[in-house]
Amino acid sequence: MMKETTFLKKRKLIDIPVDVLKNISILAAAQGKSVKAYIENLVIEKGAEIADSNLYAFACANDPDGEGQSVATEQEQKEFREWLDA
């Protein structure tokens, strides 16, 4: 029996060039998937490849004032959680 994993999801509208969508449609059909399922799978796989250390290095390199290197206040954490759920 397969273990079912539940993900928190967020809907995002994206624009894809027509020629790219045609190619993706062919790849999806070859795997017996819908285009939506195929694209979702690609994005999930790519996102899972990103290591936390890479994200942290990027954040540090792109935060010249060092603001992101301090602990967030309780209020900032609350606002961030609310923003994530928006």
Side-chain angles (χ1 to χ4, degrees):
M1 186 168 163
M2 281 183 54
K3 182 180 177 184
E4 192 170 316
T5 305
T6 303
F7 297 100
L8 293 176
K9 297 180 181 181
K10 184 154 183 114
R11 188 169 297 274
K12 189 70 176 176
L13 182 63
I14 61 171
D15 296 319
I16 300 173
V18 174
D19 58 332
V20 172
L21 185 58
K22 178 181 173 186
N23 293 342
I24 290 173
S25 297
I26 293 167
L27 293 172
Q31 291 188 11
K33 295 181 179 179
S34 69
V35 173
K36 178 181 182 288
Y38 185 81
I39 292 172
E40 286 174 342
N41 192 16
L42 288 176
V43 172
I44 291 167
E45 286 177 1
K46 193 64 175 173
E49 292 174 5
I50 301 170
D52 287 344
S53 57
N54 292 8
L55 295 173
Y56 181 73
F58 177 82
C60 290
N62 292 282
D63 186 18
D65 59 3
E67 183 179 310
Q69 296 182 30
S70 60
V71 177
T73 65
E74 289 294 324
Q75 180 61 31
E76 290 170 327
Q77 291 177 34
K78 180 179 181 251
E79 290 171 2
F80 182 70
R81 288 186 191 100
E82 289 171 357
W83 174 80
L84 286 174
D85 291 336

